[in-house]
Amino acid sequence: MEPGSAEMPRQFPKLNISEVDEQVRLLAEKVFAKVLREEDSKDALSLFTVPEDCPIGQKEAKERELQKELAEQKSVETAKRKKSFKMIRSQSLSLQMPTQQDWKGPPAASPVMSPTTPVVTGATSQPTPAPYAMPEFQRVTISGDYCAGITLEDYEQAAKSLAKALMIREKYARLAYHRFPRITSQYLGHPRADTAPPEEGLPDFHPPPLPQEDPYCLDDAPPNLDYLVHMQGGILFVYDNKKMLERQEPHSLPYPDLETYTVDMSHILALITDGPTKTYCHRRLNFLESKFSLHEMLNEMSEFKELKSNPHRDFYNVRKVDTHIHAAACMNQKHLLRFIKHTYQTEPDRTVAEKRGQKITLRQVFDSLHMDPYDLTVDSLDVHAGRQTFHRFDKFNSKYNPVGASELRDLYLKTENYLGGEYFARMVKEVARELEESKYQYSEPRLSIYGRSPEEWPNLARWFIQHKVYSPNMRWIIQVPRIYDIFRSKKLLPNFGKMLENIFLPLFEATINPQDHRELHLFLKYVTGFDSVDDESKHSDHMFSDKSPSPDVWTSEQNPPYSYYLYYMYANIMVLNNLRRERGLSTFLFRPHCGEAGSITHLVSAFLTADNISHGLLLKKEALMEEYAIAAQVWKLSTCDLCEIARNSVLQSGLSHQVWSVTVLPVSLLGRLPAVCQEPSRHWGSVMNTAGRASETLRHRERKRGSLLRFHSCFLTLLRPLRLLGEAFPDCLF
């Protein structure tokens, strides 16, 4: 994006707490209070207990629902609305299953066009393209009253709540240049979703250097803008000059508002306690699971045949990204053991550390540990996270210490030590060479920034450039451990605001004046996002709200709650991304650890602030394992399933658009869905043509990265719940 584009400036839309429905506010406070009570009463076995449903309570709930539905059937107004709903539904079903002629295209003599797409005001009209070929597969269609099982009022309430939640998430995603599904945005009635350029609102990732270019070139730094940066309330504000700083008139960027964030979080918390919404979502998820099982049963052989028909394209030739790995764990156990033995054999007398002014050689390090590297084995190295580390963050962290010795971790797995992180860089480069040789494997290793000192960023950038760690198959994520309480107890930080300043101020300075921060400016080209990590099960009795103390006055040794961390990290990333976008520089994603343990409020916070989350055990999702073969055996996954997981790993990653576009469906095609106005079901034919054009593009793009049949099935499955929301409110939200 060019500086000074028409898209800037953007502002953060503010809300007032008084504008919130009192009932919504009370529900949100009840959820918070319930979470705090659960945290206080949690015992050592609570993580492994499964709540039992009370049969008496279930029976009473069913009787209440039955009485409510019987009363609704007697209502004349409800009967009219239900009849209107059924008419809309019948129109949708008539267009839901295109005929064979629609799928494969009309005869040349009598072309049949898709239903007319309404023109958005101010948009340039474009002719509707001809239909394209679509894959043949068996589909499952549900006919009849789709509100069966729940009352009409409950369905309307659930649809309204879900639509509001999606619009809130879209707002925060767009403000921070995070990714939000463009198809969903169109169905939510976003005014520019159908006419905006494909790249608008998306993050900017620096493209990989060309083969003849130097990835470590420091001569392309933009000029200094001479802006000033000042932290207020834990958020960095940018000022054009000193006069603007004195007048407190910041540069035009979307600065966040805590009260607005609290209001939006209250809506999501109230949604959690809403009975009709929970019932509808539970039934919908059960339906989707059953539908996928039917799809597998009906089309498994067709998908397998489609995969076999692709020349030079199997699972090993499908691009995949390891999106969740620490740089200190990017090598396997055998690799680390082999490297330790190699260094001891080739350079035992090399000085590798200094203690109390005395130089220490590698041989002396091992002698002080009373061990001989020759006797080390994979088992004695003890760096494998097994069953003993499940829900034990303390044991998980200890696995980063080879043989349980922190001295070896500092020597081999750190960027800041006596050798300047040389050993660590050599191992990372060996892993990178293996990725480059495989061609189709990528990785996003995580490096730590703690916030103890602003010098952490220049030191990390210097390590990256000095040891030439760049690889076209690697992009970097910066993880920020939530350990302010440790630093505060050791008097390393005066308050939480200082920790935030140490993390983000160097980034603002490198963005405003790259000429004086060339190394950091270069390193940030290959950084794609931030992560927030620590033990989520740690209890905090503080309820985050607009009355919470600001970071510059948070001086206690108590650690701020998870929601507090996420808000202030998101807020600074949002301002930074808009400033970098204004300069034409790459932006960053926020991808925190979330859902592994802790309360439900963690997921609410991440729903608002995160582009995506690293993993979450509370989501009942199996994590993407490093070894796909093991995953296939444990969960009985087919080759098509593995290809879909690999494709999703690319979607979740921060790879550049040049790599991303040859792996998944092009953004430009995903954006060409018809604008959804008063009658969303009218445009089903145009939606089919969009999917058809996507098929043709994928067919001619290095063949397919998986099953097009599976892609179309998922594509249609995504559209149907969006259409259900649109049919519930054709004249209101959509």
Side-chain angles (χ1 to χ4, degrees):
M1 174 180 172
E2 295 297 329
S5 69
E7 186 183 348
M8 303 297 292
R10 312 189 313 165
Q11 298 300 322
F12 189 93
K14 295 185 179 181
L15 299 174
N16 191 285
I17 195 70
S18 61
E19 300 174 6
V20 183
D21 184 7
E22 183 68 13
Q23 184 179 5
V24 171
R25 186 183 63 81
L26 292 176
L27 284 173
E29 291 182 355
K30 286 182 179 179
V31 173
F32 262 121
K34 181 174 181 291
V35 166
L36 292 179
R37 287 197 303 271
E38 290 176 350
E39 292 289 324
D40 287 333
S41 60
K42 187 177 295 183
D43 56 27
L45 297 178
S46 62
L47 291 171
F48 309 99
T49 57
V50 180
E52 297 182 1
D53 295 326
C54 177
I56 298 177
Q58 288 183 339
K59 183 178 180 181
E60 292 178 349
K62 288 184 178 180
E63 289 179 354
R64 286 195 298 268
E65 288 296 325
L66 180 60
Q67 294 296 329
K68 191 175 181 181
E69 191 167 350
L70 290 175
E72 185 184 82
Q73 290 177 358
K74 298 178 182 179
S75 171
V76 178
E77 180 184 355
T78 300
K80 291 181 180 178
R81 288 160 60 199
K82 213 162 190 178
K83 183 178 179 181
S84 174
F85 267 41
K86 287 184 177 181
M87 290 179 63
I88 297 175
R89 180 64 173 171
S90 61
Q91 294 172 2
S92 300
L93 289 173
S94 65
L95 291 169
Q96 184 169 327
M97 293 298 297
T99 63
Q100 187 72 13
Q101 182 172 330
D102 292 332
W103 287 103
K104 292 192 173 182
S110 58
V112 178
M113 303 303 291
S114 300
T116 305
T117 301
V119 179
V120 180
T121 304
T124 305
S125 59
Q126 297 179 352
T128 305
Y132 284 84
M134 301 284 281
E136 289 294 337
F137 64 98
Q138 299 185 68
R139 303 165 186 81
V140 179
T141 303
I142 305 298
S143 60
D145 183 8
Y146 62 96
C147 288
I150 60 174
T151 63
L152 187 60
E153 282 80 4
D154 285 354
Y155 174 73
E156 288 181 334
Q157 182 175 342
K160 184 176 181 179
S161 299
L162 293 172
K164 185 173 184 63
L166 287 173
M167 287 189 286
I168 290 175
R169 173 165 171 77
E170 181 188 20
K171 175 180 70 174
Y172 284 88
R174 288 184 176 277
L175 285 169
Y177 288 104
H178 287 167
R179 295 167 292 200
F180 188 83
R182 202 161 194 191
I183 301 172
T184 306
S185 181
Q186 289 182 248
Y187 275 86
L188 291 176
H190 193 279
R192 287 176 55 82
D194 189 56
T195 59
E199 67 280 358
E200 182 177 304
L202 293 176
D204 274 340
F205 301 125
H206 191 271
L210 298 176
Q212 67 273 16
E213 294 179 343
D214 180 13
Y216 306 102
C217 178
L218 299 173
D219 299 331
D220 60 346
N224 183 11
L225 293 178
D226 291 321
Y227 290 167
L228 300 177
V229 183
H230 180 67
M231 175 164 282
Q232 299 178 23
I235 300 172
L236 288 165
F237 285 73
V238 181
Y239 299 88
D240 293 341
N241 48 54
K242 187 176 181 180
K243 182 179 179 181
M244 291 298 185
L245 174 59
E246 293 172 352
R247 294 167 55 181
Q248 289 296 297
E249 295 181 6
H251 185 70
S252 183
L253 296 171
Y255 300 96
D257 178 67
L258 178 57
E259 188 175 8
T260 301
Y261 177 79
T262 305
V263 170
D264 292 331
M265 190 165 61
S266 298
H267 281 293
I268 306 300
L269 288 170
L271 175 66
I272 294 174
T273 63
D274 185 56
T277 304
K278 291 197 293 185
T279 300
Y280 174 77
C281 292
H282 175 72
R283 296 193 178 197
R284 185 72 191 172
L285 290 172
N286 285 336
F287 164 73
L288 291 175
E289 185 177 11
S290 302
K291 182 180 178 183
F292 180 73
S293 299
L294 284 172
H295 170 82
E296 282 191 312
M297 182 181 69
L298 296 173
N299 299 290
E300 184 176 12
M301 291 306 299
S302 298
E303 290 179 344
F304 184 64
K305 291 178 181 177
E306 184 182 9
L307 292 175
K308 287 184 66 176
S309 65
N310 294 335
H312 187 63
R313 186 64 60 201
D314 54 27
F315 173 70
Y316 296 97
N317 292 338
V318 172
R319 284 177 172 84
K320 55 192 77 68
V321 186
D322 195 337
T323 60
H324 180 206
I325 186 170
H326 196 287
C330 67
M331 71 293 295
N332 57 43
Q333 304 171 83
K334 190 66 177 176
H335 187 169
L336 177 59
L337 178 61
R338 186 170 61 245
F339 187 85
I340 291 175
K341 289 185 175 182
H342 173 74
T343 54
Y344 187 80
Q345 292 170 358
T346 57
E347 43 194 77
D349 298 322
R350 181 181 184 183
T351 301
V352 296
E354 184 176 359
K355 190 174 184 181
R356 299 188 184 96
Q358 183 179 359
K359 304 291 180 64
I360 302 175
T361 65
L362 185 59
R363 189 193 307 275
Q364 291 172 331
V365 170
F366 282 97
D367 289 344
S368 65
L369 297 173
H370 307 290
M371 66 176 64
D372 185 351
Y374 178 80
D375 297 328
L376 290 178
T377 65
V378 168
D379 294 330
S380 63
L381 205 61
D382 194 26
V383 291
H384 178 66
R387 289 177 295 179
Q388 295 82 6
T389 61
F390 180 68
H391 277 303
R392 288 295 304 273
F393 198 81
D394 54 340
K395 288 188 175 182
F396 177 79
N397 274 340
S398 68
K399 294 295 182 179
Y400 284 99
N401 295 327
V403 204
S406 60
E407 294 89 344
L408 296 184
R409 179 180 184 177
D410 292 338
L411 176 59
Y412 287 100
L413 301 176
K414 291 285 188 179
T415 59
E416 295 186 38
N417 51 36
Y418 184 85
L419 299 179
E422 178 187 332
Y423 283 167
F424 185 37
R426 283 165 56 180
M427 278 190 287
V428 171
K429 290 165 70 174
E430 290 175 3
V431 173
R433 280 195 294 270
E434 294 175 358
L435 294 176
E436 294 169 21
E437 290 173 0
S438 67
K439 183 180 178 181
Y440 297 100
Q441 296 184 35
Y442 297 80
S443 179
E444 287 184 313
R446 282 161 169 75
L447 296 169
S448 295
I449 290 291
Y450 297 94
R452 292 170 299 189
S453 165
E455 295 303 314
E456 293 178 36
W457 279 107
N459 293 340
L460 185 59
R462 198 172 302 115
W463 170 83
F464 177 83
I465 297 173
Q466 178 182 347
H467 299 291
K468 299 187 181 300
V469 189
Y470 168 78
S471 169
N473 289 55
M474 276 187 176
R475 287 297 181 269
W476 301 89
I477 297 285
I478 300 300
Q479 68 174 26
V480 180
R482 298 187 297 275
I483 52 177
Y484 159 79
D485 53 338
I486 297 177
F487 298 147
R488 184 70 184 97
S489 63
K490 295 181 178 180
K491 311 300 181 184
L492 298 177
L493 293 171
N495 51 59
F496 185 69
K498 189 61 178 178
M499 179 178 177
L500 291 172
E501 184 177 309
N502 292 339
I503 294 171
F504 291 104
L505 182 58
L507 305 182
F508 278 82
E509 292 175 344
T511 301
I512 294 172
N513 185 11
Q515 297 282 349
D516 290 347
H517 305 83
R518 292 178 182 270
E519 291 182 332
L520 182 55
H521 168 70
L522 173 65
F523 175 60
L524 292 179
K525 292 180 180 179
Y526 308 114
V527 173
T528 60
F530 287 84
D531 188 2
S532 177
V533 298
D534 196 28
D535 186 1
E536 284 192 60
S537 64
K538 287 182 179 179
H539 172 56
S540 174
D541 56 5
H542 178 84
M543 185 175 72
F544 180 49
S545 68
D546 59 322
K547 302 296 189 297
S548 297
S550 62
D552 53 351
V553 298
W554 189 292
T555 57
S556 72
E557 295 183 1
Q558 180 186 5
N559 208 29
Y562 181 91
S563 302
Y564 194 95
Y565 268 99
L566 256 64
Y567 169 73
Y568 284 104
M569 285 196 67
Y570 166 84
N572 285 284
I573 291 172
M574 181 185 72
V575 179
L576 177 62
N577 278 349
N578 281 271
L579 178 63
R580 292 180 65 84
R581 182 86 169 202
E582 192 178 78
R583 297 219 67 184
L585 302 176
S586 60
T587 58
F588 308 112
L589 302 175
F590 187 34
R591 297 161 53 184
H593 278 57
C594 181
E596 184 178 14
S599 71
I600 193 67
T601 56
H602 295 192
L603 292 173
V604 173
S605 302
F607 179 79
L608 295 178
T609 61
D611 176 80
N612 58 69
I613 61 177
S614 296
H615 62 73
L617 300 182
L618 290 183
L619 297 179
K620 307 298 182 187
K621 278 178 132 181
E622 276 65 6
L624 177 63
M625 300 179 67
E626 182 180 357
E627 294 291 342
Y628 281 87
I630 298 177
Q633 293 176 5
V634 173
W635 292 293
K636 305 297 187 293
L637 301 178
S638 66
T639 304
C640 186
D641 296 330
L642 294 176
C643 290
E644 188 174 8
I645 293 175
R647 178 181 181 273
N648 288 337
S649 74
V650 178
L651 283 169
Q652 185 186 24
S653 72
L655 295 182
S656 65
H657 297 310
Q658 285 79 355
V659 177
W660 194 87
S661 60
V662 301
T663 309
V664 297
L665 184 67
V667 179
S668 57
L669 285 177
L670 283 178
R672 291 178 193 165
L673 281 177
V676 180
C677 297
Q678 305 300 326
E679 301 172 283
S681 60
R682 284 183 52 202
H683 317 300
W684 193 241
S686 297
V687 170
M688 293 299 102
N689 279 341
T690 299
R693 294 197 299 276
S695 300
E696 287 296 307
T697 301
L698 290 178
R699 289 179 194 278
H700 294 91
R701 178 166 288 169
E702 214 178 328
R703 297 297 294 175
K704 293 166 277 188
R705 265 70 175 181
S707 171
L708 280 179
L709 189 154
R710 173 70 64 88
F711 163 75
H712 282 288
S713 174
C714 295
F715 184 70
L716 300 182
T717 302
L718 166 67
L719 294 178
R720 288 185 178 111
L722 294 176
R723 287 171 50 239
L724 292 181
L725 296 182
E727 291 163 6
F729 293 96
D731 301 317
C732 182
L733 294 175
F734 302 88

